[in-house]
Amino acid sequence: MEIDKAISESNDRRLKSKYNNAIYVIKRAFALYAFEEVAFSFNGGKDSTVLLHLLRAGYFLHKKPNYLNEDHTNCEMKCPIRTIYFDSPSAFPEINSFTCETAAVYDLQLEIFRIDFKSGLETLLREKPIRAIFLGTRIGDPNAVGQEQFSPSSPGWPPFMRVNPILDWSYRDVWAFLLACKVRYCSLYDQGYTSVGSIYDTVPNALLCISDSSTSKENFRPAYLLPDGRLERAGRAKKCSRLDSGGDPLINGLNNVDACQSRTFTVSVIAVGDEILFGTVEDELGPSLCRKLCSIGWTVSHTAVVRNDIDSVAEEVEQRKSSNDMVFIYGGVGPLHSDVSVAGVAKAFGVRLAPDEEFEEYLRHLMSDQYTGDRNEMAQLPEGITELLHHENLAVPLIKCQNVIILSATNIIELDKQWDCLIELTSSSGPLLSMAPFVSKSLTTSLSDVQTAQPLLKLSLEFPDLYIGCYRKSRVGPLVINFVGKVYNLTRPITWTKLE
C-alpha cells in the first residue's frame, strides 16, 4: 500500500502520529458499521483529498491486517466506498473536474447531488441505509465547533454519525501528508489558492503572490509554501461583521459610549498559584493589574488567589464570570502539570479543551526546535468560546473566553506589555471599554477614629458613588483618608466638614 509505505518512510514524527490516530478512527468506524452503511463526503478540496487516501489505507488495513509484506509490495486494494459530492453552480470547474477524475481513478461510487447539503443527505438516507459519513472537517472550520471524532448529526438534521478522522490536523499536517504521499490534488492549490470555496468568495492568497515588475500579470506560489497556516483562509472574502455595520463591539450589548461612561463596569482578578498561597513568592501582578483597571474606570469588585487545581479554578471562574462584566486570570499558564488555568476556564464554561490550529501555529513559530511530538498541550483551548486577541507586539495572542481574559504574564514587564497591547486593541474592537478613570485624593488628620466617624458617614451618604477609605500606617500615626471617584460623579463640590 503506497500510502502506508510513504508514511512509514517519513521522518516526520508528528505526521506519523496524526496518520496513526486517523487510521485508528477509520478502522474503528469500519468495525462499528457495515461497509454499505458508510459514505464519504468528497468536495475535491485538500482536506477531503487527504481523507480519501486515509480511507484507502484504513480500509486496506481493516480488511487485510495480516496482508502487508515487509516491503509493502503487492498491497493494492480498491476502496469502493459510496461517495457523495454536492455540485454547485458556483463551484470552480477545476474542482468538478478533479472530483470526477479522482472518482474514476479510485473506483469511488460517486453520487452527485445538485441540491443543498441537508436536502441531499435527507434524500440519500431515505434511499439507502447510511449510518455514518466520513467528513474532512478540521478544528478551525466554521462547522467544527462542538464536534469530536465521532459526533451524531445536529438536531434538525437527518440522523447519522459524523466521523472526523482529521479533526485535529493542522494546515501543515494536511500538506505534509499530501506531499509525503505524492498524491494528486486539485490544480487550484498550485495557483495560490489555500482554501477553496465558491467562485464568488475565493481568490488566491495574496501572501503567495510573486511580484513581477516586467508584467502586470500576477503569479502565485503553490499553497504548500504558505509559511503560516493561520492565514489559510486569507483568500476567502470576508463577510460583514457587527463592526463593519457600525455596531458597538463592546460589552453586554451596550451601544452608546456616553451611556457606558455613566455607569461602572466591574471586574474580578484571579491569581492561580500554590506558591502565592504558601508565601513562597509575593504576588506583584494582582495589585498592578488592579491599578491599571482603575486607570480606565473599571471597578475591581473581587480579587482571589486559588490553588493549582482545575476544580478550584473552575469554581472561582464560574462564580465571578456571571457576577462581573469581565474576569482576568493569570498564573497557571504553560506546559507544566501545575498549569491548569486554561483547563479550569474550560470546565467553568462546561466545554472541552480542543486543539486550536491558529494558536498552535503561533506556538510552533515561538518554540521552534523545542516543539516536538504530535501535539502541544498548550494549544488545547476551550472549544467554541475562545477568541484570540492579536497584536503585532505579542509573540502569542491573548486568550479571551467570552468575558474571561487569560494572561500569560509572569512578571511586571510582561504584564505591562500585554496590558498596553490590550488597551491599544480596545480602540478598535477590543474587549475593554475605556471610561472616565478613577481619581483619588487623600488627606491626613490627627483626629481619632471616633471623631472622624460621623463626618465621614455624612459624606458617604451625600456622595454614594465616592469611595471613602481610611487607614493608619501605625496605631499611633495619623489617619489617612482616601477619596476615590470619577470626575463626572462630582456634580456639586464637596463641602468639607471641619475636622479639627
Side-chain angles (χ1 to χ4, degrees), residues 441-495:
K441 299 291 182 181
S442 62
L443 60 86
T444 60
T445 177
S446 59
L447 294 177
S448 67
D449 293 357
V450 175
Q451 290 173 301
T452 57
Q454 192 62 34
L456 291 180
L457 175 60
K458 183 178 179 180
L459 283 176
S460 66
L461 294 175
E462 187 174 357
F463 298 94
D465 292 333
L466 193 63
Y467 297 88
I468 304 176
C470 306
Y471 64 93
R472 296 180 186 273
K473 294 183 179 180
S474 68
R475 293 306 303 171
V476 297
L479 179 67
V480 180
I481 306 174
N482 198 40
F483 300 89
V484 181
K486 296 188 177 184
V487 174
Y488 66 76
N489 286 335
L490 302 180
T491 56
R492 61 191 188 282
I494 295 178
T495 302

Side-chain angles (χ1 to χ4, degrees), residues 247-265:
D248 190 295
L250 299 172
I251 301 167
N252 294 341
L254 295 170
N255 55 14
N256 185 294
V257 174
D258 292 333
C260 292
Q261 293 287 339
S262 65
R263 62 151 288 188
T264 298
F265 290 106

